[in-house]
C-alpha cells in the first residue's frame, strides 16, 4: 500500500524548475522560457517536456496541445491587469489617478513575469480560435484604458505605451529598476491623455 504523499507516475529526470509549483506550473514556466527565447514555432512539446524532466505523455495529461499552453501563458499576462482594472471603481479614484494606478500595475505585471511571454502577442497564430479568450481579455483591458484615458485613441496609445516594456525587456541588456520604469510609463501615459 502506498502512502498518501507518494508521487504518481515516473520520477522526473533532474531537479524541479519550480520547487513549490505544480507540474502544470512547471510546464508553463518551461514553455514560456522556450517560446520567448527560441520562438513558438521552433519549440516542440517534446522540448518542453524534456526541459521539465517529464515524458511527453505527462505533458499531454495537463495540456492537450501546444496552442493550449500558449493560450494559458498569454491569458496569464493580461488576466491580473483586467482583474485589477475591474477593482478600480471600488477604490474611489478619479480617472487620472485610476489610470496611473492601472498603468503602474500593468507594467509591473509585464516586468515581473519570469519570462517575457508578452513578446508572443504579435504571433499570427493569436488570430486563430484557440486564442479567442486571450483576445477577449486583452480587449477588456483595452476598453478599461479607453474609459480611463477619455477616448479610444488616447486609450489605445496608453495601452501601446504600457506594452512597449515588452520590447524593452527584449532589446535592452539592463532595464531601469521596475519602480522607476512603472512611474515613468505612468507619467508618460497621463501626458498622452492631455494631447
Amino acid at each position: 500500500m502506498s502512502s498518501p504523499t507518494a508521487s504518481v507516475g515516473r520520477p522526473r529526470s533532474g531537479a524541479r524548475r519550480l520547487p513549490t509549483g505544480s507540474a502544470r506550473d512547471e510546464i508553463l514556466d518551461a514553455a514560456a522560457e522556450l517560446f520567448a527565447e527560441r520562438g513558438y514555432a521552433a519549440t516542440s512539446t517534446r522540448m518542453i517536456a524534456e526541459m521539465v524532466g517529464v515524458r511527453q505523455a505527462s505533458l499531454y495529461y495537463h495540456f492537450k496541445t501546444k496552442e493550449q499552453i500558449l493560450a494559458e501563458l498569454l491569458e496569464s499576462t493580461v488576466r491580473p491587469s483586467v482583474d485589477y482594472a475591474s477593482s478600480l471603481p471600488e477604490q474611489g479614484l478619479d480617472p487620472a489617478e485610476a489610470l496611473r494606478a492601472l498603468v503602474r500595475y500593468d507594467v509591473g505585471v509585464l516586468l515581473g513575469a519570469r519570462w517575457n511571454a508578452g513578446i508572443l502577442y504579435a504571433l499570427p497564430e493569436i488570430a486563430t480560435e484557440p486564442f479567442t479568450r486571450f483576445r477577449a481579455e486583452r480587449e477588456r483591458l483595452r476598453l478599461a484604458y479607453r474609459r480611463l484615458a477619455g477616448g479610444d485613441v488616447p486609450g489605445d496609445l496608453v495601452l501601446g505605451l504600457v506594452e512597449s516594456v515588452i520590447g524593452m525587456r527584449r532589446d535592452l541588456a539592463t532595464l531601469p529598476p521596475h519602480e522607476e520604469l512603472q512611474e515613468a510609463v505612468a507619467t508618460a501615459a497621463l501626458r498622452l491623455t492631455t494631447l
Side-chain angles (χ1 to χ4, degrees), residues 80-102 140-141 143-145 147-148:
S81 298
V82 169
D83 291 345
Y84 184 76
S86 297
S87 76
L88 285 171
E90 301 161 10
Q91 296 180 30
L93 303 172
D94 69 43
E97 291 170 329
L99 180 61
R100 176 180 288 280
L102 178 57
R140 285 180 60 204
L141 185 58
L143 293 174
Y145 277 116
R147 186 181 70 254
L148 293 172

Side-chain angles (χ1 to χ4, degrees), residues 18-32:
L18 304 170
T20 60
S22 67
R24 185 178 181 87
D25 293 337
E26 290 191 53
I27 291 166
L28 288 168
D29 183 68

